[in-house]
Amino acid sequence: MPAVPPQPGPSEPLTPVTARPPGTPARRTAFAEGVDRMRAAATTEPGRLRIIGAVLAVLVVAFGAVTAWQMTERAAAADDVLNKSQPLTSAAASIYRSLADANTTASGGFLAGGQESAESRKRYEDDIDTAAAGLVTAASNADPGSPSTAAITKLNKLLPEYKGLVERARTYNRQGFPVGGAYLRYANQKMQQEMLPAAEDLYKKENQRLQDDYADARPYPWAAIALGVLALAALAWMQHRTYRRTNRVFNHGLVAATATATVVLLWLVVGHSLARAGLNDSYEHGVRSLNVLHDARIASLKARGDENLTLVARGAETVKVTADGEELTLDAYDHGFTENIAALGKGLAAAARLADDQAGEKPVTSAEGNMAEWRKRHTAARAQDDNGNYEQALALVIGAKGATGECFDSVDANLARALTHEQNEFRQAAGDGRDAMGGLPLGAAVLAVLGAAGAVLGIGRRLSEYR
């Protein structure tokens, strides 16, 4: 019978088959062994070349990737400036302008009483429709839960309330009831104290978004530029090293990698500099002028509204102001006219300074002349009203010829022309700035891949000499 091997007793432990014999060193991890192999390879020229080639490829690819990333962000911000935030800022200003003009037109129609023209009625309705359409557009572009959304919601709630008050005022006025004036003053109060501040807040919020987009689009991409300089320095060092060891002036692969990195870096610096110049020009000669002109137009609308309401109130509301130590009693709305016409003058002066060509300066100069004539006619109208000649004062404010309404319409028309001109200048400059970055993200990525391939092929050429 074959011998049966002895079995361990119950008290003897089993010895694992994989147990390491005593004195045998522990097996090292794969990572540690890899580090050792790299360290050993680095002591040979082929190993060093492989490491250098990998580092060069990573540097060039990283340069292209960071360039593509940073320029994509800046190009998107520049596109938002041109096609989103600035148009929305102008739309918010248009909402304000439409509401203020509707208020002004309503007061003018009230003064005309039963003789309110169909043109005046249509202008009022068009202003209300324009404001409503602007609110719809603003709501579709506003971020949910943002302050802009809150302002839009508030205006959407107040607009029908305001329309209802104006219609009641007109109805009572046509019937000859004095309560119509009270309804109109209440409507004006709602407009001045609730609706226009909300519209102004919306304008400021959209204007801040525009500033944020400019801030995102204009900064230099320093990270990409730094990586580009580093990649070029590494490539130059490697070519110098190759020359010293082989006496060969050019390595075609390394030269190709250097050329592509140089092209990307120059394209990055020059392209972004041109884009920045275009965006700066669009701000200095577009946005700044637009903001000043919008403010001037709003001031003229407020002045016209106060002028009309001065006659509607007929001295029912007064305030006391002090001028040169002398106490004067002025109608509250007339005092508002004085303040707003002064604001209009300051705005027109600022717009004239910012205008950089005759096409932009001419309508502003014309508006200044219209404003000066407006002041004269307003003074004459107030003199008639103060002397108890209400009908003569009314004719000087809303009459068919020689009235202050003509001056206001001329100021508004000239400001509209100036705004159109500055809007076109903005779009041209901002479009040039955005287009200067066009193709750069994709081009940088493609050239970076080609440059990395060139670096690898150049190093591979050197490695082939050791086989």
Side-chain angles (χ1 to χ4, degrees), residues 59-357:
L59 271 177
V60 174
V61 169
F63 170 43
V66 173
T67 298
W69 164 54
Q70 290 197 307
M71 295 313 297
T72 297
E73 286 189 337
R74 283 157 177 76
D79 188 70
D80 285 344
V81 166
L82 178 62
N83 294 316
K84 190 173 182 181
S85 52
Q86 198 285 324
L88 285 175
T89 300
S90 293
S94 177
I95 291 172
Y96 192 112
R97 185 259 170 198
S98 298
L99 291 174
D101 191 61
N103 196 48
T104 298
T105 306
S107 60
F110 183 91
L111 288 173
Q115 275 67 47
E116 180 182 9
S117 66
E119 181 182 354
S120 174
R121 179 75 183 186
K122 183 177 184 303
R123 178 171 176 172
Y124 168 80
E125 295 293 344
D126 288 345
D127 283 333
I128 294 296
D129 291 342
T130 300
L135 288 172
V136 171
T137 301
S140 64
N141 288 279
D143 297 328
S146 66
S148 294
T149 301
I152 294 168
T153 302
K154 182 177 181 179
L155 286 170
N156 276 324
K157 176 178 177 294
L158 291 173
L159 187 58
E161 295 178 6
Y162 172 81
K163 283 189 65 178
L165 290 171
V166 171
E167 291 307 319
R168 288 185 183 182
R170 282 175 166 161
T171 300
Y172 286 125
N173 188 46
R174 284 194 297 268
Q175 295 173 358
F177 296 147
V179 73
Y183 272 106
L184 187 65
R185 288 195 296 273
Y186 183 40
N188 176 71
Q189 182 181 359
K190 184 175 288 290
M191 176 66 74
Q192 298 290 345
Q193 297 182 6
E194 298 182 65
M195 298 178 69
L196 291 183
E200 184 177 9
D201 183 59
L202 176 62
Y203 172 71
K204 289 180 178 178
K205 293 294 189 302
E206 296 300 337
N207 201 30
Q208 184 58 53
R209 184 195 294 192
L210 175 62
Q211 302 300 325
D212 292 342
D213 286 338
Y214 268 111
D216 291 338
R218 289 190 291 189
Y220 274 104
W222 292 115
I225 292 173
L227 272 174
V229 172
L230 181 60
L232 284 176
L235 287 165
W237 170 82
M238 182 55 194
Q239 290 179 87
H240 179 68
R241 182 181 186 275
T242 301
Y243 170 73
R244 288 182 60 188
R245 290 175 179 268
T246 65
N247 286 327
R248 293 172 186 162
V249 177
F250 296 115
N251 177 293
H252 293 167
L254 293 176
V255 169
T258 303
T260 56
T262 301
V263 168
V264 172
L265 185 59
L266 289 176
W267 190 2
L268 172 65
V269 173
V270 174
H272 189 271
S273 295
L274 291 174
R276 183 184 175 93
L279 290 170
N280 284 337
D281 186 54
S282 72
Y283 183 81
E284 293 298 326
H285 302 295
V287 172
R288 289 184 64 194
S289 294
L290 286 169
N291 287 342
V292 168
L293 289 168
H294 281 310
D295 290 343
R297 200 177 192 189
I298 288 168
S300 72
L301 287 162
K302 285 183 175 181
R304 179 60 177 172
D306 287 332
E307 183 176 51
N308 288 342
L309 287 164
T310 300
L311 294 178
V312 173
R314 297 192 184 188
E317 300 179 22
T318 59
V319 294
K320 293 197 179 230
V321 298
T322 302
D324 299 328
E326 182 180 357
E327 194 173 68
L328 304 173
T329 301
L330 296 175
D331 183 271
Y333 296 119
D334 196 43
H335 183 57
F337 171 86
T338 302
E339 290 183 339
N340 287 309
I341 206 73
L344 171 61
K346 290 180 181 178
L348 291 175
R353 290 193 300 270
L354 290 171
D356 58 345
D357 57 13

Side-chain angles (χ1 to χ4, degrees), residues 362-442:
K362 185 176 179 181
V364 175
T365 302
S366 298
E368 288 180 313
N370 301 144
M371 183 193 67
E373 181 63 24
W374 187 359
R375 286 178 186 267
K376 293 178 182 177
R377 295 183 184 183
H378 176 80
T379 300
R382 291 306 308 138
Q384 290 291 340
D385 191 35
D386 290 341
N387 291 329
N389 301 321
Y390 176 76
E391 293 299 328
Q392 290 85 340
L394 189 62
L396 289 173
V397 172
I398 64 169
K401 188 174 181 180
T404 59
E406 289 181 340
C407 301
F408 163 72
D409 288 339
S410 296
V411 168
D412 193 66
N414 280 308
L415 286 174
R417 282 193 289 271
L419 281 164
T420 299
H421 173 75
E422 297 299 337
Q423 185 72 31
N424 291 336
E425 285 210 328
F426 161 80
R427 294 197 63 83
Q428 180 64 46
D432 291 343
R434 182 201 58 181
D435 294 343
M437 292 185 274
L440 181 52
L442 179 60

Side-chain angles (χ1 to χ4, degrees), residues 10-56:
S11 61
E12 296 179 14
L14 294 174
T15 303
V17 177
T18 58
R20 177 171 50 88
T24 303
R27 183 175 179 178
R28 307 181 64 210
T29 64
F31 176 76
E33 291 178 355
V35 170
D36 282 345
R37 283 196 295 270
M38 289 183 62
R39 191 176 297 164
T43 61
T44 65
E45 181 62 12
R48 284 191 288 267
L49 287 174
R50 289 187 180 93
I51 294 173
I52 292 171
V55 171
L56 289 177

